Amino acid sequence: MKVPSPGVTPAQTTRTENGLHGRVLDHLGTAICGGELTSGAVLNIDDLVDRYAVSRSVIREVLRVLASMGFIETRRRVGVMIRPAHHWNVFDPQVIRWRLASVGRIAQIRSITELRTAVEPHAAWLAAHRIDHDEASDLVGLAAKLWAAGKAGDEKRFLDLDIEFHQRVLRASGNEMFVKLQDLVAEVLIGRHHYHLMPHYPHEQALQLHADVAQSIQRHDGETAREAMVQIMEHAFEEMSSIWEQGVTPEPTLAPESGPTLAPAPEPA
C-alpha cells in the first residue's frame, strides 16, 4: 500500500497521480501518433519511470490505457511493443486529438471529413423524417444564431454553435450508431479552428447551407436536407483542398520534449 507523504492527504495524492498520468499519456500518445515512436519499437518500463520521473504504477496505468486504444501490446521475451497504426482505435476522441496535434493532422482531418460526408447527409435525411416539432424549431433557431456569429466574426461562439448544430442533426437522426459520432465531429471542428484551417469569417454560402438543412428538416423534406448537408461537406473540402494539395503540415502544437529510451525488437525466438 502506498503511504502519502506527511501533510499530504490521500485525495491530494490521487489528484497528483492523475495529473502525472495525463501528462505521460499525452506525451506518449502524441509521440506514437506523430511517428517519434514507430511500429515495432519496444518501451522499457524502467526507462519510462526515469524519463518521466513518475512511479511504476503511473506508467503501468498509462500503458494499460494505450493498450486499450490498440497502440501497444505485450509480447513474451520482447516486452511492450508499439503496434502498427491499423490496430489503433481511430474513433477514440483522445486518439483523434493526438493525431491532430501531430505532423499527420492534415490526413486526420481529411479522413474524418470523408467519414462525415458519408454519414451526415443521411443523418439529415433521417432527421427530417424523425424529428419532432420542438426539436426542429430549436434547430432552425440554432442555425440563425450560427449565421449571426459567423457574420460577426465571433469565432469562439461560431465554433460552439457549429458543433452543437451538427451534433443535434446526428441525434435527431434517431440512429444510435450515428449519435456515437458526436464527439468525433466535435474534435475535428475544434481541430480545424485550433490549427487555423477555417476562415475567420465563414462564407455566406456555408451559413446559408446550414439554414437550408435546418429548414428542410423542419419541413420534413429529407432529400433537400440531404443535399444541403452534402454541399456543406463539399464546401469544407474546398476550404482545405489547397492545404492538402500543397502537402502543408504545420508543426504540431504538442510534442514530447524527447522520446523515451527505446530498444530494438529482438528477433522472434
Side-chain angles (χ1 to χ4, degrees):
M1 177 178 178
K2 185 174 181 179
V3 179
S5 302
V8 179
T9 68
Q12 288 172 324
T13 300
T14 300
R15 284 196 296 271
T16 300
E17 288 192 350
N18 287 343
L20 292 172
H21 168 269
R23 178 175 66 85
V24 176
L25 183 62
D26 276 341
H27 273 233
L28 286 176
T30 308
I32 294 170
C33 289
E36 288 94 343
L37 296 175
T38 58
S39 172
V42 175
L43 299 178
N44 181 284
I45 292 178
D46 290 331
D47 288 343
L48 294 175
V49 167
D50 293 340
R51 164 72 178 83
Y52 292 107
V54 297
S55 67
R56 291 177 68 87
S57 64
V58 169
I59 294 300
R60 288 196 190 97
E61 177 60 19
V62 167
L63 295 179
R64 185 191 67 78
V65 174
L66 291 175
S68 73
M69 295 174 172
F71 278 18
I72 62 172
E73 64 179 334
T74 302
R75 294 187 180 180
R76 291 183 59 188
R77 297 196 296 272
V78 175
V80 179
M81 181 179 289
I82 306 295
R83 303 181 78 190
H86 64 265
H87 289 290
W88 302 351
N89 179 8
V90 294
F91 286 93
D92 188 301
Q94 196 159 28
V95 174
I96 293 169
R97 283 195 293 274
W98 291 335
R99 293 180 72 186
L100 289 172
S102 77
V103 293
R105 71 172 55 96
I106 299 302
Q108 170 69 114
I109 290 176
R110 182 169 192 164
S111 65
I112 295 180
T113 303
E114 290 171 348
L115 176 65
R116 292 181 64 199
T117 301
V119 170
E120 291 196 54
H122 192 63
W125 184 87
L126 288 173
H129 294 283
R130 296 175 175 175
I131 200 167
D132 65 34
H133 177 77
D134 290 340
E135 289 177 327
S137 296
D138 289 345
L139 188 64
V140 171
L142 184 61
K145 293 176 183 177
L146 187 67
W147 182 293
K151 285 293 188 181
D154 187 340
E155 292 185 76
K156 174 63 169 64
R157 180 162 172 74
F158 180 85
L159 172 60
D160 291 342
L161 292 169
D162 196 25
I163 291 171
E164 185 179 356
F165 182 90
H166 288 278
Q167 289 182 331
R168 284 203 187 192
V169 172
L170 289 170
R171 290 198 298 269
S173 74
N175 182 301
E176 74 280 4
M177 304 293 286
F178 288 179
V179 172
K180 285 296 184 180
L181 298 177
Q182 289 184 90
D183 291 342
L184 180 150
V185 170
E187 289 298 337
V188 74
L189 290 174
I190 290 169
R192 285 187 63 195
H193 280 262
H194 184 72
Y195 296 107
H196 310 292
L197 300 175
M198 291 189 73
H200 179 68
Y201 287 93
H203 296 295
E204 186 163 330
Q205 181 188 6
L207 298 174
Q208 180 61 55
L209 287 169
H210 282 77
D212 291 345
V213 168
Q215 292 164 10
S216 299
I217 289 175
Q218 186 182 45
R219 295 194 306 268
H220 305 294
D221 182 352
E223 290 303 326
T224 303
R226 185 210 299 269
E227 179 56 31
M229 187 65 84
V230 167
Q231 291 184 57
I232 288 174
M233 296 298 112
E234 290 176 347
H235 194 80
F237 269 107
E238 290 172 5
E239 287 181 338
M240 295 180 288
S241 62
S242 61
I243 299 171
W244 295 336
E245 290 167 3
Q246 294 168 18
V248 175
T249 306
E251 288 298 313
T253 299
L254 176 63
E257 296 165 4
S258 62
T261 304
L262 302 177
E267 293 294 324

